[in-house]
């Protein structure tokens, strides 16, 4: 079933992915071809060699769907349901096309296509509940979710014992042991060498005006509510998750970095995938600048030995346009700090 | 409803299953899908929209071949901004996989809330539910039993078919067990009723 796909150089994918990917595209294109389409059958998906050919097909289908939507208003009532079903199937096809193409499309195109599809579904939904008021299954989901709970103020939970934050929430039904980390501290230098210890995840939370020095590898790093702190950390083999940081400086090396709700903070990163930000302002990025005795080996062991250049390829989830997001920038070279050496752990 | 039943029929013939995979961001959804498909998992960016993977899944019981299914797995990004898109993928879902980062204790509340909301969805009411308590390889991760307790799974609607399985997308442990159950459960609902 595999291996017969014609390898006509689809642009983006090389590597082991290529073959499976092509086979999948071929299956998809077969499905597309077997579907009657007013605008003639589209070129098979596997022949897309560029974003622009994807876009032209995408836009063509979008326009066809939009005009069919518009025509519904004039259509015979008895045919309405049929029309809606057809349009719904076309939208589903378009959606599949985007999903398959998302392997090589630039992030911006994926997201704007996604938004278009969502809008089309909404339009169909509105139209069908307007024209067929008693429709059996309308998409009646109003956002049932409430606003995420606002972060409780720091004083309210200054139990100072470094128990896990989740346990404080009261809703956790199980007792959990302390995990490694620093919590509820101010104006201190917090240092830890985790080499030789079997540390999994490490947590930094509720710190104010602290300097954190973390030597050695961890698997996951959670950072929550930091103000005016400097965080110098060795490699993380999984992901770093930062939520709520203000006026901070981070030196981090990791496979993945996710930053939520950060303000006016600088990130010196080495990262294997693209760093992402969500709900951030004034985030600035530069390459990783940390040193301690043995860091080369640690980076090597964590598959972070090489600079990837990803530190500047930031994706902003809150920015849907192709233009540069106003929420982050590259830190100008003359404002960057020099290499930080934390070989002497304590200050 | 005519079209829907036709689609059902076609699906039965091809033995296709539509599986929706969701959960908070950073829980490991994309890593799980790539791992189960035998692909490289060393460079994965957070999912900006969604991915779809088509996987052929063969089921053996005691070395006896007993079925071949095509799984269409929809892996949808879990970042807050795009959670509102989840609902675009509910239609015709046969199986739902909810992935939990068992080491992220602070966000278990969020995780529970989002799952509860999802399970209220009428369009998902017939779907089998597999919960992956992922990242079991991380020291300090909660066990599947603990996760089940936190998420209060026992209180779930009695008509729902569900199971929680501990796994690690890192080592691969638990993944097949989870998928085996899911495929088996869906198959017994959809295909064996004919
Ligand atoms: N240690 C460990 N790390 C894991 C495991 N599964 C995933 N990870 C790491 O967790 C991070 C997040 O994984 P992803 O697969 O991108 O998570 P996701 O759920 O797809 O996230 P979104 O696309 O944002 O919704 C990555 O850095 C993975 O390497 C696991 O079982 N163990
Ligand atoms: Mg993902």
């Amino acid at each position: 079933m595999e291996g017969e796909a014609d390898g006509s150089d689809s642009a983006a994918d090389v590597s082991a992915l290529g073959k499976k990917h092509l086979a999948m595209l071929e299956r998809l294109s077969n499905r597309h071809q077997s579907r009657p389409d007013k605008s003639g059958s589209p070129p098979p998906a596997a022949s897309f060699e560029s974003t622009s050919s994807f876009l032209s097909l995408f836009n063509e289908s979008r326009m066809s769907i939009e005009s069919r939507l518009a025509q519904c208003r004039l259509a015979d009532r008895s045919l309405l349901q049929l029309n809606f079903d057809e349009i719904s199937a076309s939208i589903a096809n378009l959606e599949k096309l985007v999903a398959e193409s998302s392997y090589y499309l630039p992030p911006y195109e994926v997201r704007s296509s996604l938004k278009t599809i969502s809008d089309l579904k909404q339009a169909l939904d509105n139209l069908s509940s307007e024209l067929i008021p008693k429709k059996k299954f309308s998409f009646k989901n109003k956002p049932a979710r409430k606003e995420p709970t606002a972060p409780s103020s720091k004083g309210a939970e200054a139990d100072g014992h470094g128990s896990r934050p989740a346990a404080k929430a009261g809703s956790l039904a199980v007792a959990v042991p302390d995990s490694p980390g620093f919590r509820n501290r101010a104006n201190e230098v917090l240092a830890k060498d985790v080499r030789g210890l079997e540390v999994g995840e490490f947590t930094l939370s509720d710190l104010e005006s602290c300097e954190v020095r973390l030597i050695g590898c961890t698997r996951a790093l959670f950072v929550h509510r930091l103000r005016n702190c400097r965080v110098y950390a060795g490699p993380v083999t999984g992901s770093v998750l930062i939520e709520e940081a203000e006026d901070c400086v981070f030196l981090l090396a990791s496979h993945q970095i996710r930053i939520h709700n950060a303000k006016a903070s600088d990130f010196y990163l080495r990262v294997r995938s693209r760093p992402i930000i969500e709900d951030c302002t004034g985030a600035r990025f530069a390459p990783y600048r940390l040193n301690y005795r043995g860091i080369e080996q640690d980076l090597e062991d964590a598959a972070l030995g090489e600079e990837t250049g990803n530190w500047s390829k930031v994706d902003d989830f809150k920015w849907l346009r192709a233009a540069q997001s106003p929420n982050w920038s590259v830190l100008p070279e003359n404002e960057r700090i020099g290499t930080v050496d934390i070989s002497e752990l304590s200050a | 409803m005519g079209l829907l039943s036709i689609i059902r029929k076609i699906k039965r013939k091809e033995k296709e299953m539509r599986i929706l995979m969701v959960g908070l961001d950073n829980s490991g959804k994309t890593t799980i899908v790539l791992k189960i498909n035998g692909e490289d998992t060393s460079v994965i960016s957070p999912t900006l929209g969604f991915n779809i993977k088509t996987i052929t899944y063969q089921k053996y019981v005691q070395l006896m071949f007993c079925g071949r299914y095509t799984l269409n797995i929809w892996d949808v990004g879990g970042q807050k901004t795009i959670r509102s898109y989840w609902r675009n993928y509910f239609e015709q879902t046969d199986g739902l996989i909810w992935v939990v980062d068992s080491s992220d204790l602070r966000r278990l509340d969020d995780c529970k809330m989002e799952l509860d909301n999802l399970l209220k969805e009428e369009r998902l009411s017939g779907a089998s539910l597999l919960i992956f308590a992922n990242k079991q390889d991380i020291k300090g991760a909660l066990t599947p039993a603990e996760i089940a307790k936190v998420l209060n799974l026992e209180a779930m609607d009695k008509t729902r078919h569900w199971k929680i399985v501990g796994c690690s997308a890192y080592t691969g442990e638990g993944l097949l067990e989870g998928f085996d159950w899911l495929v088996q459960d869906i198959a017994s609902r959809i295909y064996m009723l004919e």
Side-chain angles (χ1 to χ4, degrees):
Chain A
M1 154 180 212
E2 275 171 41
E4 287 149 47
D6 141 41
S8 56
D9 270 345
S10 72
D13 281 83
V14 253
S15 82
L17 263 175
K19 222 158 91 181
K20 261 184 198 140
H21 180 204
L22 278 174
M24 200 159 64
L25 285 177
E26 193 182 49
R27 283 197 298 278
L28 180 80
S29 71
N30 289 339
R31 249 176 264 155
H32 275 284
Q33 278 162 352
S34 61
R35 151 181 75 102
D37 190 310
K38 285 195 186 124
S39 52
S41 55
S47 75
F48 291 151
E49 271 159 36
S50 67
T51 305
S52 67
S53 54
F54 163 82
L55 281 181
S56 67
L57 181 69
F58 181 87
N59 285 326
E60 200 179 298
S61 312
R62 191 196 73 206
M63 273 154 24
S64 140
I65 291 168
E66 281 170 348
S67 78
R68 277 187 284 160
L69 277 170
Q71 280 161 15
C72 283
R73 293 193 175 279
L74 311 171
D76 191 304
R77 253 200 88 101
S78 62
L79 291 177
L80 266 182
Q81 188 60 57
L82 194 63
N83 285 348
F84 286 148
D85 289 345
E86 271 176 23
I87 294 173
S88 170
S90 303
I91 297 177
N93 275 321
L94 192 59
E95 185 166 54
K96 248 186 166 149
L97 177 75
V98 179
E100 297 283 2
S101 311
S102 70
Y103 289 92
Y104 66 85
L105 286 177
Y108 163 71
E109 307 297 354
V110 175
R111 299 193 51 209
S112 60
S113 310
L114 190 69
K115 172 112 180 35
T116 303
I117 286 167
S118 172
D119 292 346
L120 287 173
K121 283 184 177 177
Q122 194 61 51
L124 175 63
D125 210 22
N126 294 345
L127 198 65
S128 71
S129 52
E130 182 190 329
L131 299 180
I132 312 180
K134 289 207 185 97
K135 196 173 167 254
K136 265 199 212 114
F137 64 109
S138 59
F139 302 166
K140 56 174 173 224
N141 27 23
K142 293 154 197 105
R145 254 187 307 138
K146 292 209 192 88
E147 277 298 293
T149 43
S152 45
S153 74
K154 215 184 137 183
E157 47 191 73
D159 60 5
H161 278 77
S163 61
R164 289 190 164 181
K168 289 179 212 157
S171 62
L172 262 197
V174 291
V176 287
D178 277 1
S179 73
F182 298 115
R183 300 174 175 84
N184 300 304
R185 303 297 223 9
N187 306 306
E188 281 181 69
V189 173
L190 306 165
K192 178 122 188 126
D193 187 339
V194 298
R195 285 174 298 189
L197 310 174
E198 210 205 303
V199 166
E201 112 272 26
F202 198 90
T203 299
L204 304 175
S205 84
D206 300 284
L207 306 181
E208 174 128 19
S209 306
C210 290
E211 179 174 318
V212 178
R213 303 175 181 179
L214 189 57
I215 291 186
C217 287
T218 52
R219 287 213 175 169
L221 179 63
F222 294 109
V223 177
H224 183 220
R225 273 189 270 171
L226 263 55
R227 279 192 60 165
N228 188 32
C229 293
R230 286 161 307 290
V231 176
Y232 307 132
V236 180
T237 54
S239 62
V240 178
L241 179 62
I242 299 174
E243 295 201 315
E244 299 176 50
E246 198 173 337
D247 299 318
C248 293
V249 175
F250 292 92
L251 273 64
L252 304 167
S254 179
H255 283 209
Q256 262 191 11
I257 296 183
R258 297 157 185 261
I259 305 166
H260 304 157
N261 298 293
K263 266 192 225 158
S265 294
D266 292 343
F267 300 88
Y268 295 79
L269 307 180
R270 178 173 299 172
V271 53
R272 284 184 69 100
S273 58
R274 299 167 70 105
I276 65 118
I277 62 173
E278 191 176 53
D279 301 309
C280 291
T281 53
R284 304 192 298 174
F285 293 85
Y288 193 55
R289 288 280 173 87
L290 190 66
N291 192 36
Y292 58 79
R293 254 169 269 118
I295 193 172
E296 296 302 334
Q297 192 57 46
D298 282 354
L299 286 168
E300 203 69 47
D301 294 347
L304 285 160
E306 306 275 322
E307 176 56 63
T308 60
N310 282 335
W311 63 268
S312 66
K313 298 183 185 146
V314 179
D315 283 324
D316 182 353
F317 272 63
K318 272 289 157 74
W319 189 248
L320 253 173
R321 285 185 262 152
Q324 163 71 28
S325 155
N327 300 321
W328 70 273
S329 59
V330 169
L331 186 53
E333 284 193 39
N334 58 359
E335 291 182 46
R336 294 180 193 170
I337 56 174
T339 299
V340 177
D341 197 311
I342 53 170
S343 300
E344 305 310 321
L345 248 190
S346 48
Chain B
M1 226 34 107
L3 190 74
L4 218 70
S5 61
I6 293 168
I7 291 174
R8 279 274 178 214
K9 284 242 172 63
I10 295 171
K11 264 167 109 176
R12 281 181 200 191
K13 241 204 196 132
E14 294 177 357
K15 299 218 167 183
E16 264 192 24
M17 295 180 180
R18 178 174 160 125
I19 294 176
L20 175 64
M21 195 157 188
V22 279
L24 297 191
D25 51 294
N26 198 40
S27 55
K29 298 177 291 295
T30 306
T31 314
I32 289 176
V33 178
L34 294 184
K35 184 79 180 182
I36 195 120
N37 206 29
E39 292 175 35
D40 179 24
T41 56
S42 67
V43 182
I44 295 175
S45 288
T47 308
L48 278 155
F50 57 119
N51 296 306
I52 176 171
K53 274 273 171 246
T54 303
I55 293 177
T56 303
Y57 197 90
Q58 300 194 3
K59 177 96 182 109
Y60 294 86
V61 173
Q62 292 174 346
L63 296 180
M64 284 242 313
F65 179 73
C66 42
R68 181 197 188 93
Y69 304 95
T70 302
L71 310 190
N72 288 315
I73 305 180
W74 292 74
D75 160 25
V76 189
Q79 289 284 144
K80 231 179 224 156
T81 315
I82 50 182
R83 286 180 206 163
S84 58
Y85 289 111
W86 288 355
R87 64 195 193 89
N88 293 344
Y89 306 92
F90 292 165
E91 220 65 61
Q92 293 179 42
T93 292
D94 300 307
L96 184 64
I97 302 182
W98 180 260
V99 183
V100 182
D101 177 348
S102 313
S103 71
D104 186 358
L105 291 136
R106 193 178 64 77
R107 297 201 303 167
L108 279 175
D109 280 347
D110 269 4
C111 174
K112 176 171 168 31
M113 180 190 73
E114 295 287 3
L115 176 62
D116 288 348
N117 279 333
L118 206 63
L119 296 182
K120 284 184 205 137
E121 262 304 323
E122 216 175 295
R123 284 174 290 159
L124 293 174
S125 59
S128 308
L129 169 66
L130 169 66
I131 294 148
F132 267 137
N134 191 32
K135 307 203 188 181
Q136 289 298 319
D137 62 287
I138 295 187
K139 201 178 163 202
L142 292 191
T143 64
E146 288 169 325
I147 297 281
K149 220 168 156 194
V150 174
L151 298 180
N152 200 11
L153 297 179
E154 288 303 335
M156 198 151 15
D157 191 344
K158 293 287 170 271
T159 58
R160 170 86 63 188
H161 295 200
W162 66 272
K163 184 179 174 74
I164 182 165
V165 174
C167 72
S168 163
Y170 202 73
T171 64
E173 182 207 327
L175 295 183
L176 278 177
E177 184 194 340
F179 274 92
D180 271 350
W181 175 81
L182 188 66
V183 169
Q184 175 66 43
D185 191 72
I186 296 171
S188 64
R189 281 190 299 111
I190 301 186
Y191 302 114
M192 290 169 187
L193 298 177
E194 288 174 17

